[in-house]
Amino acid sequence: MSQSNSDTKQNSASNRGASAKARRATAKATAPASQAADKATEKAGDQASAAVGAAERTAQAGTAVVHGAAERVQAGRQAVVAASGQAVALAKTAWTLIAHRKLLAAGVGAGLSALGATSYLAGRRSGRRTHGPITRLTGGRI
């Protein structure tokens, strides 16, 4: 039995040495693949973070576009309201003129009459001969 015990120890020691060699050989053989896998994982992580950044920038740009469009719609709405208000004011003025057309015609006629009378009097005054101070004092007798 003692021989078998010593054989067992020898086999396990040689087995341990062989398994350690196999592990080292496997590590050496898989080291380049492991490094390549690590680099690929790192690159994938970088690309994923770049994609997330691009998605965020795209979302921000989309939000800015939507916000700008909303502002333009609001400005257009205000312009339409202002234009409709001006159209209503113009229509109201026109209706007032039509409703009071008789008074308007009378006012225009009176204004033209006053203008004609004023120009007639100004023309008569400018058409007179100038007199000296003594002639004016005596009323034109001397």
Side-chain angles (χ1 to χ4, degrees), residues 101-121:
R101 65 185 178 277
K102 292 179 184 175
L103 291 174
L104 184 65
V108 168
L112 288 174
S113 297
L115 182 64
T118 304
S119 65
Y120 177 75
L121 290 176

Side-chain angles (χ1 to χ4, degrees), residues 21 23-24 27-29 31-32 34 41 47 54 56 58-59 69 75-77 80 88 102-105 114 121 124:
K21 284 182 183 178
R23 272 189 244 129
R24 281 193 298 264
K28 282 183 182 179
S34 174
T41 304
Q47 290 174 353
E56 287 176 354
T58 303
R77 185 178 303 144
V80 167
V88 168
K102 292 179 184 175
L103 291 174
L104 184 65
L121 290 176
R124 293 277 296 162

Side-chain angles (χ1 to χ4, degrees), residues 70-140:
E71 288 177 354
R72 286 190 293 274
V73 167
Q74 182 65 25
R77 185 178 303 144
Q78 289 175 353
V80 167
V81 168
S84 66
Q86 290 176 350
V88 168
L90 180 65
K92 188 174 181 180
T93 302
W95 184 253
T96 303
L97 289 176
I98 291 170
H100 298 103
R101 65 185 178 277
K102 292 179 184 175
L103 291 174
L104 184 65
V108 168
L112 288 174
S113 297
L115 182 64
T118 304
S119 65
Y120 177 75
L121 290 176
R124 293 277 296 162
R125 181 143 177 93
S126 67
R128 278 202 256 171
R129 245 181 41 205
T130 56
H131 300 290
I134 297 174
T135 307
R136 279 186 296 204
L137 186 64
T138 58

